[in-house]
Amino acid sequence: MHIVVCVKQVPNTTQVRIHPETHTLVRDGVESVMNPFDENALEMALQLKESHPDTVITVLTMGPSQAEAVLREAVGRGADKVMLLSDKALAGSDTWATSYALSQAIRTMSPRPDLVLFGKQAIDGDTAQVGPSVATWLALPCITCAFGLEVADGRAKVKRSFEDGYEILEVALPCALTVVKEANVPRMASLRGKMAAKKLVIEPTTAEMIGADPANIGLLASPTRVVSILSPPARSSGVKWQGEEPADMARKLVEELRQRKLI
Amino acid sequence: MALQIDLDLCTGCGACVAVCPFCALTQRPSDGKVEVNEACTACGACIEVCPVGALSLPEPTSPAAAGQSETHRGLWVFAEQRGGQLQDVTFELLGKGGELARELGVEVGAVLLGHQVDACVGPLFEHGADVVYVVDHPALAAYTAEPYAEAMSALIKKHRPEIVLAGATSIGRSFIARVAIEATAGLTADCTELAVDPENRCLIQTRPAFGGNILAAILCPNHRPQMATVRPKVFPQPAPVEGRTGRRVDEQVELKDPVVRVLETVDAMQHEVNVAGAEFIVAGGRGVGGPEQFKLLAELAEALGGAAVGASRAAVDAGWISSFHQVGQTGKTVRPKVYIACGISGQIQHLVGMNSSDTIIAINKDPDAPIFEVADIGIVGDLFVVVPELVKALRKAQ
Ligand SMILES: Cc1cc2nc3c(=O)[nH]c(=O)nc-3n(C[C@H](O)[C@H](O)[C@H](O)COP(=O)(O)OP(=O)(O)OC[C@H]3O[C@@H](n4cnc5c(N)ncnc54)[C@H](O)[C@@H]3O)c2cc1C
Ligand SMILES: Nc1ncnc2c1ncn2[C@@H]1O[C@H](COP(=O)(O)O)[C@@H](O)[C@H]1O
């Protein structure tokens, strides 16, 4: 089996803050990490490989040259092959153009994958669009928010999470999945893996090498345009009660709720 | 590279470097003038702050899309139904969509996909749809992304709407991305604000990014339709107008058999109140300390007459409560009348999911917890003391 896992390098968003006075992003010391949901997608592939030893896992990322760090991390955990799609011509791609480029990259891979895995969403943009969009370019079915994957006889059985429950679905391979956090607990890189990752030579793949139509990539091909960046409106705070008897504060709160006609 | 830098104008002041959200701008050591690297996403944040106008972006024009703003008319809302039950977000979108459509001088269409879902048509008219397009097909009986995308794409091709809105729900987000590729349309995910510019008929889409730390305004200047998914609960539901009706259009669409088969549906929240639609929510975070202690919150919920129990991600990750209860960026967006946060610090990722609640009450023993910055009523105290007192006081008040 050949599994392609698409991973993205993202800034650790818990550390990104808006400066209260200048309204600009404060990102001093913000580290880049593998998108957390992509760790779950990779882990899903690694677990499948444990039960299907003839499996090859290729990890694909599109991004600036420093994004190779996530590929090394993936190899450290047990991925077999990597592709770093990196080209100035791809800069400014929105989900439409990104998904086209990733699909072209996957088309050049041999053998064609049986499974293409994505994280549920990337935590920088949070769009959750790239997975189903790549699948559309590749004419593959796509199950979003997946966990609990079982593969047998060329078919995948998988759970798909909903707002208030889940469904059990079945689909023939090849197919695409976007993976949720509930799927598994990602492993750490092994010592042997780390050695392999260190030795890895990563040559970037260019847009030309994947036969990408220049009209479909980069900023100019992207239908959406970010026109401005604002800081979220602050909600002003009300009263704060401190240093009073808990029972008194509780009574005051019930009184307040009553007066506001909330209870 | 997309961003253009006029090095003759650049004074090396560094203002753009400081605002770039992506660390894509650096100053040359030789003369301090600015260079751009591959991390640039052409967001444009730097252009506004450049005091000398040295930065610019070329206007994107796609020959395929040229003139589409003339050929496409009308605003559509995807009418999401599950098991024949229209979802609230559909009504919220019909309300907001109606406002936008009036500004553009066009009709609001609702697209109803499913099998034997006639009962849904009336409520769509009553909540503001002028036209309801119905595709009734056995392939649409159980939701799977592929036939839903096929049906929606076929209707878009035929009727050419200029705007298509869907709820940012697990269904909406999973099939609409396929439609956007097939329609060569821009798609903006998870919007929290929408407006239109009647002049160029552009939809102005605002959405949080970077975990809610920033808001981005997004346009699709040259492509039609302009597509967006919208968070549930960010727009109010319009009051239904009883007896209001409109045009029903039944569409025959050829659909392939579904490739994904639904074997079983499991309702994991059977006996609990779903936070997504609740009017009262009692939410717990890491401060609650364990699964047993969540019972304390359930008691408070009960004393409030059947509130839902919500949770921060920290509580969910610790395994104290199931992820269906999680509120926030990677959980649910809620808009209750009253949100009581107990032992939740109020990180931005949690706040983006609940800060449009009508009244926020916070109980936290740390007086500096950020949750107090958004709370209407903040109680500094130990939740294990305050919550039982609150339960007592509520019971007494009844
Ligand atoms: C990509 C991403 C997505 C995320 N999505 C979400 C999301 O959807 N939802 C979400 O909630 N978080 C989300 N987070 C996590 C978020 O950043 C915070 O880590 C999380 O919200 C913290 O939860 P908490 O407030 O319960 O825990 P903490 O930050 O640990 O706060 C616990 C609070 O409890 C108080 N406390 C302790 N004991 C008591 C007591 N006895 N009485 C009263 N108060 C007490 C403490 O003073 C403290 O303020 C996300 C993070 C990332 C990176
Ligand atoms: N530049 C990229 N390179 C590789 N995979 C990506 C990239 N962008 C998005 N993805 C994949 O698509 C998923 C969804 O991303 P998004 O649509 O941006 O939320 C991610 O979890 C990744 O698996």
Side-chain angles (χ1 to χ4, degrees):
Chain A
M1 199 164 25
H2 183 201
I3 307 177
V4 172
V5 186
C6 293
V7 303
K8 187 177 188 186
Q9 188 181 49
V10 294
N12 190 348
T13 55
T14 37
Q15 301 169 9
V16 182
R17 291 265 175 289
I18 288 252
H19 192 280
E21 272 131 45
T22 60
H23 298 289
T24 55
L25 280 184
V26 182
R27 24 134 248 251
D28 285 344
V30 173
E31 47 167 2
S32 289
V33 294
M34 185 188 298
N35 180 41
F37 297 101
D38 302 355
E39 294 187 82
N40 298 108
L42 174 61
E43 181 62 30
M44 187 180 263
L46 292 168
Q47 289 184 7
L48 208 57
K49 186 173 167 139
E50 282 164 4
S51 51
H52 298 70
D54 59 337
T55 298
V56 173
I57 301 173
T58 304
V59 183
L60 166 62
T61 194
M62 168 175 144
S65 46
Q66 56 271 31
E68 66 151 53
V70 290
L71 298 178
R72 287 188 201 279
E73 175 64 33
V75 167
R77 296 184 196 196
D80 302 291
K81 295 201 217 166
V82 299
M83 185 191 275
L84 170 66
L85 183 57
S86 191
D87 193 322
K88 288 192 174 201
L90 297 165
S93 293
D94 71 355
T95 59
W96 192 93
T98 300
S99 63
Y100 168 77
L102 290 174
S103 72
Q104 281 299 119
I106 292 169
R107 277 180 205 280
T108 64
M109 293 178 184
S110 132
R112 291 289 286 271
D114 304 283
L115 264 178
V116 185
L117 303 184
F118 302 87
K120 174 196 162 202
Q121 64 196 53
I123 61 167
D124 51 355
D126 272 326
T127 81
Q129 286 171 185
V130 168
S133 299
V134 172
T136 309
W137 287 106
L138 295 172
L140 293 178
C142 180
I143 296 172
T144 50
C145 301
F147 62 106
L149 172 69
E150 292 165 32
V151 173
D153 307 323
R155 301 186 73 78
K157 209 164 129 182
V158 64
K159 298 196 178 105
R160 172 177 134 74
S161 137
F162 266 108
E163 279 82 359
D164 49 8
Y166 62 90
E167 283 177 345
I168 303 173
L169 305 175
E170 195 190 45
V171 64
L173 301 182
C175 75
L177 305 177
T178 78
V179 181
V180 290
K181 187 182 75 195
E182 289 76 16
N184 49 49
V185 180
R187 72 192 65 190
M188 311 263 253
S190 67
L191 207 58
R192 219 179 96 214
K194 277 187 185 156
M195 303 275 282
K198 216 171 182 177
K199 276 193 251 143
L200 197 66
V201 181
I202 303 177
E203 284 292 337
T205 301
T206 63
E208 201 188 329
M209 284 156 75
I210 57 167
D213 181 343
N216 282 349
I217 56 171
L219 172 75
L220 295 183
S222 296
T224 57
R225 284 290 304 276
V226 178
V227 290
S228 61
I229 289 194
L230 332 152
S231 55
R235 187 188 164 114
S236 52
S237 57
V239 294
K240 188 151 97 182
W241 301 332
Q242 197 170 351
E244 298 168 47
E245 276 304 311
D248 293 340
M249 292 194 282
R251 264 196 302 276
K252 253 173 45 182
L253 180 58
V254 173
E255 192 46 42
E256 238 351 278
L257 291 175
R258 264 236 189 103
Q259 268 175 16
R260 297 183 192 204
K261 297 208 166 32
L262 293 166
I263 50 169
Chain B
M1 181 55 60
L3 182 74
Q4 313 285 320
I5 303 174
D6 189 331
L7 288 176
D8 292 335
L9 292 179
C10 178
T11 61
C13 72
C16 55
V17 177
V19 299
C20 176
F22 306 98
C23 309
L25 296 170
T26 47
Q27 287 176 278
R28 299 201 296 222
S30 53
D31 54 3
K33 293 195 185 222
V34 165
E35 287 180 321
V36 57
N37 64 38
E38 305 135 301
C40 174
T41 70
C43 77
C46 54
I47 295 176
E48 285 167 44
V49 302
C50 178
V52 294
L55 303 168
S56 62
L57 280 168
E59 255 323 294
T61 44
S62 150
Q68 281 188 338
S69 59
E70 300 306 315
T71 55
H72 289 59
R73 281 292 177 269
L75 180 148
W76 282 9
V77 169
F78 167 62
E80 180 172 335
Q81 53 85 20
R82 283 176 67 187
Q85 190 74 40
L86 281 169
Q87 302 295 297
D88 288 348
V89 67
T90 303
F91 300 135
E92 294 157 20
L93 290 181
L94 284 173
K96 184 66 189 181
E99 282 171 29
L100 302 176
R102 277 188 289 281
E103 275 186 69
L104 292 170
V106 296
E107 286 185 324
V108 179
V111 178
L112 179 62
L113 310 177
H115 188 40
Q116 296 167 344
V117 285
D118 279 348
C120 296
V121 176
L124 292 172
F125 287 132
E126 289 180 347
H127 285 83
D130 301 307
V131 196
V132 176
Y133 300 91
V134 183
V135 183
D136 185 310
H137 196 291
L140 303 172
Y143 169 80
T144 58
E146 292 73 24
Y148 267 66
E150 214 181 330
M152 184 61 126
S153 302
L155 294 196
I156 289 175
K157 204 165 165 195
K158 180 168 169 193
H159 296 283
R160 297 195 302 255
E162 59 196 306
I163 294 174
V164 177
L165 306 176
T169 57
S170 52
I171 287 186
R173 291 180 88 163
S174 70
F175 90 100
I176 213 79
R178 297 191 80 99
V179 177
I181 300 301
E182 276 161 22
T184 317
L187 172 59
T188 306
D190 214 17
C191 297
T192 52
E193 219 178 291
L194 294 174
V196 288
D197 181 344
E199 208 59 0
N200 53 20
R201 309 187 73 83
C202 271
L203 181 66
I204 305 159
Q205 308 156 106
T206 307
R207 65 177 308 263
F210 288 102
N213 287 297
I214 63 168
L215 289 175
I218 295 174
L219 297 184
C220 303
N222 300 304
H223 293 71
R224 297 293 183 274
Q226 308 163 84
M227 298 177 50
T229 59
V230 180
R231 268 201 196 172
K233 298 277 168 194
V234 298
F235 297 123
Q237 269 192 49
V241 180
E242 221 174 294
R244 185 181 183 279
T245 171
R247 225 156 17 98
R248 172 181 170 143
V249 181
D250 285 281
E251 295 281 352
Q252 306 303 321
V253 181
E254 295 269 338
L255 297 177
K256 292 189 227 51
D257 286 337
V259 285
V260 176
R261 223 153 52 91
V262 181
L263 303 178
E264 198 183 326
T265 303
V266 182
D267 179 359
M269 298 246 344
Q270 267 161 354
H271 306 295
E272 292 159 79
V273 188
N274 193 343
V275 287
E279 301 233 299
F280 284 80
I281 297 173
V282 179
R286 203 194 309 271
V288 175
E292 275 302 307
Q293 293 89 309
F294 255 93
K295 293 210 180 108
L296 199 58
L297 301 195
E299 248 174 76
L300 176 55
E302 208 197 290
L304 283 162
V309 175
S312 74
R313 175 161 156 182
V316 171
D317 281 355
W320 302 340
I321 186 164
S322 86
S323 61
F324 298 109
H325 298 267
Q326 187 182 318
V327 172
Q329 189 204 359
T330 44
K332 288 173 194 169
T333 306
V334 298
R335 195 182 189 170
K337 284 199 180 125
V338 179
Y339 190 91
I340 307 183
C342 308
I344 293 179
S345 62
Q347 296 305 313
I348 184 83
Q349 292 90 353
H350 188 80
L351 298 184
V352 290
M354 46 65 81
N355 64 9
S356 54
S357 306
D358 290 347
T359 300
I360 296 174
I361 295 161
I363 304 172
N364 195 310
K365 64 182 182 189
D366 172 10
D368 299 323
I371 190 79
F372 288 122
E373 283 160 33
V374 301
D376 298 285
I377 302 175
I379 297 184
V380 181
D382 186 340
L383 75 93
F384 295 108
V385 183
V386 176
V387 171
E389 288 293 348
L390 200 50
V391 172
K392 243 193 270 170
L394 279 166
R395 293 219 172 111
K396 213 152 120 201
Q398 266 148 26

